[in-house]
Amino acid sequence: MQLILDRISHRYGGTNVLEDIGFTIGDGEIVCIVGPSGCGKSTLLRIAGGLEKPDAGEVLLSGEPARDSLNPLTYIFQDFALLPWRSVEGNVSLVLEDHGVSAQERRETIADVLARTNLSGFLGALPRQLSGGMKQRVAIARALAVKPAIMLMDEPLSALDSQTRELLMDDLIGLWQRERFSALYVTHNLAEAVRLGRRVIILSRRPGRIREVVEIDMPLEERPDRVTELDRLQRHVWDIMREEAREADREIADVA
Amino acid sequence: MSHDTQVLGSTAGKHKEERAVRQVPFRGGGFVHRPMGPIGAVVFLAIIALWEAGSRTGVISPIALPAPSEALGALWDLVVTGMLWKHVGASLYRLVIGWTLGSLLGIAVGLMIGLFSLARAGLLPLVSALFPIPKIALLPLFIIWFGIGEGSKVATILFGTFFPTVIATYGGVDNVDRNLIRMGQSFGLSWLSIVRKIIVPGAMPAILSGFRISASIAIVLLVAAEMIGAEFGIGAYILMAGALFATDQLIAGVALLSVLGLSISWLIGRAERALLSWRA
Ligand SMILES: Nc1ncnc2c1ncn2[C@@H]1O[C@H](COP(=O)(O)OP(=O)(O)OP(=O)(O)O)[C@@H](O)[C@H]1O
Ligand SMILES: [Mg+2]
């Protein structure tokens, strides 16, 4: 399934947040979005997932999701968004209960996704008993349970320490290699962006416009061995962002 | 590498010799409650013992305040004459019906105010206008509307518990983490599911602390309501005792109210532990 963002513009009150953003996420593609803080990345993701209406432009889906997909467009939130009063099992179960899944099937799905995220031993644990990395794995398990066609991820790893981040990154890549979901991945971390993205979209400072699109035509499984190339790409992305920041500083100086 | 650490180690050792070493003072204590065992009961018993001693030695005049043992005697009289259950039963009946209905209605209206803009715009000003009215002042009206019997008493308690419950409930709904609601929407949960599984549990802590307040209000109103036209009930018993200046009976009645309050608070504590165990 493809997600098409067509000339999206959005404003909050008097401030333009997004201007004329258009791109397509193809089948099984991971598209990363980077950009300065406050440029509208989270807003764009909310619009893409139908949680907010853009002022102009539209978000389109093309193609049908797999028949067993319960929630084609699925979020993974930066702050995990787990219900604190439900156990790990209950949190995953929550998103299945509304879709007419039989109790038996539900139990199987829960066991399956928790096994895939290495959480099998924590079925009955409450969120407050889990570490940050485990909470995010629960959130990922919950997202997998509805068999999404497209994942929308808002800095899913940024609340975690760097070791956990590395491990979850590997998990995520492993998952993608098996399931080939499409994803829109917002991040501050340029290394993450070049490691995951088929394309990296660099947004300008507010109002967010597409500043540049960096294509990375390198299979994910080869990336760990081609570090130098990735480094060069990452530096390229960083150069653009630094230029963006310099211009912003210059504008402020001009105003002053 | 190993050389470096050696140097570091030796300098650290030297510092130790040259300067006085002391522990970083611990500053992290306090502001956390620890279970203290039966301190509450000890304080309570100590006060009673002091009081009894004061009465026996004549420091406290029996006209001003009867000895606890006399109040206990009055309580015993109630037990042997079988009047205890008549009074307590009548009071409990009014309390339970009034409080339950008031709470249920209060939660329903509070949820409506929390969930629907129309209800909020229409009902919130009304609630704010009616909440501060002392319900005791309306008792004569309730007697005209609902009769001098149980109706007016239950209605007083019902109205008294309704408003604080409404306010606690909609405040709780307003405080539910918006991100969780958004999460529910992003997974395509139905409106009813979001209310049942996210909003109501999220508002539960506020609703339960509202119960604590409304239960105390209910007891206050119970006594007030029973002072008019009631044959039985703890309030009626206290009123009668007061009219006869039977201070031992009066104290016995007040003690019954305290026990009632304690029991309710214990029950709500149990409910909190059962429903809010996830908070820990
Ligand atoms: N609900 C809202 N109402 C008004 N303004 C908003 C709202 N949400 C976001 N904004 C504004 O829109 C701009 C973009 O916000 P957004 O959260 O999308 O940025 P972001 O790129 O995700 O930033 P970050 O990288 O720090 O997460 C910000 O300037 C913010 O102040
Ligand atoms: Mg953001």
Side-chain angles (χ1 to χ4, degrees), chain A residues 197-199 214-219 222-223 226 233:
Chain A
R198 171 68 184 72
R199 259 173 297 146
V214 177
E215 301 269 346
I216 309 179
D217 200 1
M218 190 196 302
E222 288 178 21
R223 292 192 187 185
R226 293 165 70 175
L233 280 166

Side-chain angles (χ1 to χ4, degrees), chain B residues 173-188:
Chain B
V173 171
D174 283 358
N175 268 330
V176 174
D177 187 352
R178 295 291 114 178
N179 278 337
L180 293 182
I181 296 175
R182 213 165 231 164
M183 181 276 292
Q185 292 172 324
S186 83
F187 277 97

Side-chain angles (χ1 to χ4, degrees), chain A residues 10-13 15-18 35-46 52 78 154-155 186-188 203 206, chain B residues 182:
Chain A
H10 194 65
R11 49 196 302 138
Y12 281 119
T15 47
N16 263 333
V17 177
L18 293 168
S37 184
C39 73
K41 304 182 293 294
S42 299
T43 309
L44 185 64
L45 208 63
R46 283 200 296 276
E52 195 146 1
Q78 178 174 4
D154 194 355
E155 306 190 32
V186 169
T187 179
H188 270 131
L203 293 187
R206 206 179 66 199
Chain B
R182 213 165 231 164

Side-chain angles (χ1 to χ4, degrees), chain A residues 46 71 73-75 77 79 81-82 84-86 95 97-99 126 128 142, chain B residues 179-180 182-183 185-190 193 197-198 201-202 277-280:
Chain A
R46 283 200 296 276
N71 190 45
L73 277 173
T74 297
Y75 266 87
F77 296 87
D79 62 354
L82 301 176
W85 49 85
R86 283 200 179 214
V95 299
E97 287 160 11
D98 269 23
H99 292 288
L126 287 170
R128 68 175 158 83
R142 177 177 63 186
Chain B
N179 278 337
L180 293 182
R182 213 165 231 164
M183 181 276 292
Q185 292 172 324
S186 83
F187 277 97
L189 266 59
S190 68
S193 276
K197 297 170 186 169
I198 300 178
S277 58
W278 52 271
R279 282 201 308 190

